[in-house]
Amino acid sequence: MNKKLFALAIVSAASAASAQSSLTLYGVVDASVESVKAGDTVTRVSSDNLASSRFGLKGTEDLGGGLKANFVLESPVGVDTGTGGKSGGSFWDRQAWVGIGGGFGELRLGRTDSSIGVLAGNSNILGAQSYDDFKAAKTLAADKYLRVDNSITYVLPKLVNGLSAQVQYSTKASGGEVAGDKTGRLYGLNVQYAAGAFGAGAAYLEAKANNAGAKEKSALAYLSYDFTAAKVTGYYNRNASGVGLTGARELFGARLDVPLGNAFAMQASVSRARDWNDVRNDADATIVALKGIYSLSKRTSVYVLATTVSNDDNSAIAVGGLTGVAGERSSGLAVGVSHKF
């Protein structure tokens, strides 16, 4: 009888331990056939056009007293070639952090989204895929500083319903630290409010570009309102770099999201990139993007994407990661499938 009670106690303890922790395997598989033009035209199978293909693990453990330990490990996957994604970086290039959370908020250590990348990379707000204006224009928020290494990120507790914020510091935004070298030190913060139909957010990032005093700065703000029949979003992004920060690149635009029934959604955006080649005259571009997404299920969608960039004389923005040609139009058209698991 004692043996049966002992076995029952072990099973109960194991069940309790299991209930206090969790591990989730998740990911996205996204591939498309596309034709992109920047000078010459390239037709190819491509990955990541609607969503970034990835493989991830995330977990949490209840530590008691309102505390939890959390982690995320997330790796990019290039579906077109089977490689570790387009970035050519580390294996866990998308996310690699561990943290402690509770009533005080959450403290995270490791590689994660930058404070400004949280907004730019959220496809429900702006978007940082290759057919989105933020990525095509290679903004600091969606390209160089979309994610940062060596970060210390503090996510503030939600004291007001719908309000969230975080502050961030990185000892070196990319790669490892070197004694006496301050290049890559980064500061960032963001604040967002989403309650009911209204949404708003702002973010700021500042990084040391070199030891001579050059800095890179980026500020981003957006406002949105969901009218049910359509959601309207307006946004503004300012990027500055160099000693003295004498020049600045600006991207501003508007986006319209229209659900058509339960399965189909349309999205249209138009934006203007200004002074985008650090040249004050004729360095502007207009970017128009259209998306059509049909959900076959909760996890699988088919889509069509089309983006056109009209460059002025000294602007060379291009779609699909191509090298642009100053003054020439760039365009892209993609048809693909995206599956979440």
Side-chain angles (χ1 to χ4, degrees), residues 161-163 193-200 224-228 231:
N161 184 39
L163 183 66
Y193 180 77
F198 178 74
S224 67
Y225 194 86
D226 193 339
F227 294 91
T228 305
K231 179 182 177 182

Side-chain angles (χ1 to χ4, degrees), residues 22-28 54-59 71 73-75 92 299 340-341:
S22 66
L23 177 66
T24 302
L25 167 67
Y26 67 95
V28 176
R54 73 200 74 166
F55 170 89
L57 296 169
K58 61 182 178 181
F71 81 89
L73 296 173
E74 195 172 277
S75 177
W92 300 112
R299 297 190 298 168
K340 301 175 183 178
F341 64 86

Side-chain angles (χ1 to χ4, degrees), residues 260-330:
L260 301 174
N262 295 325
F264 189 63
M266 290 289 295
Q267 182 188 110
S269 67
V270 58
S271 60
R272 184 72 171 166
R274 190 163 62 188
D275 301 328
W276 212 255
N277 200 27
D278 296 330
V279 178
R280 305 304 295 182
N281 298 316
D282 299 323
D284 303 341
T286 298
I287 306 172
V288 178
L290 299 173
K291 295 183 181 181
I293 305 169
Y294 185 79
S295 298
L296 300 174
S297 69
K298 290 183 178 180
R299 297 190 298 168
T300 304
S301 300
V302 292
Y303 60 86
V304 178
L305 313 176
T307 297
T308 298
V309 181
S310 299
N311 287 300
D312 289 352
D313 289 348
N314 294 304
S315 175
I317 296 173
V319 183
L322 299 183
T323 300
V325 179
E328 292 194 14
R329 182 186 297 267
S330 175

Side-chain angles (χ1 to χ4, degrees), residues 66-67 100-107 154-157:
L67 293 179
I100 299 291
F104 63 90
E106 185 175 20
L107 182 66
Y154 173 52
V155 181
L156 278 67

Side-chain angles (χ1 to χ4, degrees), residues 95 108 112-127 141-142 145-147 153 155 164 166 168 189-192 203 220 222:
Q95 303 269 2
R108 300 172 180 174
T112 186
D113 293 339
S114 72
S115 290
I116 201 167
V118 169
L119 273 63
N122 188 336
S123 60
N124 292 323
I125 303 172
L126 298 172
Y145 295 115
L146 177 62
R147 299 180 185 87
T153 304
V155 181
S164 61
Q166 72 174 46
Q168 188 175 64
L189 57 89
N190 70 38
V191 60
Q192 295 185 77
L220 171 63
Y222 77 90

